[in-house]
Amino acid sequence: MFVIDDRFRGLPAAREQVLLVHQSINSPHLAIPGKPAGPAQAFVVGLRGASGFAVFIYLFLSEARDCAVYAPSRRGTSLEETQQHEAEALAFVESMGFMMDNAHYASLSTAQQDELLKSLPVFYKDPKLAPGPRTRADDKRTASTNLGRLLASF
């Protein structure tokens, strides 16, 4: 159902076009044909376009600042079909070793949606221009570092 499409380097989209966002909470080591092997982060993104709905898989190779985009072999015509494609995409990336987390995009405020789109490499035209993705582990390290600095100041 999903095949690598080398035409894509990113999936820039307007906030209104984005239906769903899932991102991995881990970074397994991957070897993708034609790309340098290394730690990767996965994103499953659902987009609304003029010809219907599509679910994409975006793999970001953080060390190489490169990506691989898996495009659907067919577009969805309904939200029910899109939900089925979403489940297939999640199963596909989980089979590669990714643990996925739903960003609950639709329930975020407009400002939070805009911030999310700016923070994820999947929404940039070129992965080299994107900020490195943050994980919950990064957030925990930042919190631990801040706590350590606070305690050290005493």
Side-chain angles (χ1 to χ4, degrees):
M1 156 120 193
F2 293 95
V3 293
I4 291 180
D5 191 333
D6 292 326
R7 295 175 299 166
F8 290 106
R9 299 293 299 148
L11 301 169
R15 180 180 44 78
E16 300 81 20
Q17 292 176 288
V18 179
L19 297 172
L20 60 99
V21 177
H22 295 270
Q23 74 180 72
S24 60
I25 58 175
N26 65 334
S27 297
H29 191 88
L30 284 188
I32 299 169
K35 309 280 183 188
Q41 189 167 20
F43 299 89
V44 172
V45 177
L47 300 176
R48 178 184 300 122
S51 61
F53 307 103
V55 175
F56 295 89
I57 297 169
Y58 180 94
L59 302 179
F60 180 68
L61 301 164
S62 55
E63 288 178 354
R65 307 291 294 169
D66 201 357
C67 71
V69 178
Y70 287 79
S73 58
R74 57 186 161 71
R75 308 254 181 204
T77 56
S78 68
L79 285 177
E80 293 79 26
E81 220 175 6
T82 302
Q83 290 172 337
Q84 179 185 359
H85 294 178
E86 175 186 7
E88 291 170 5
L90 289 170
F92 182 69
V93 295
E94 288 171 353
S95 73
M96 289 186 227
F98 291 102
M99 294 182 291
M100 302 301 289
D101 183 35
N102 188 343
H104 299 287
Y105 183 82
S107 66
L108 298 175
S109 70
T110 302
Q112 290 171 318
Q113 288 176 345
D114 287 336
E115 185 60 35
L116 184 65
L117 296 181
K118 290 177 191 173
S119 69
L120 300 179
V122 63
F123 296 109
Y124 285 79
K125 288 182 181 181
D126 184 343
K128 291 182 181 3
L129 301 175
R134 292 183 58 92
T135 63
R136 288 192 174 155
D138 292 334
D139 293 338
K140 288 178 184 175
R141 273 194 296 273
T142 302
S144 298
T145 302
N146 291 341
L147 179 61
R149 287 181 184 156
L150 177 67
L151 294 175
S153 68
F154 289 108

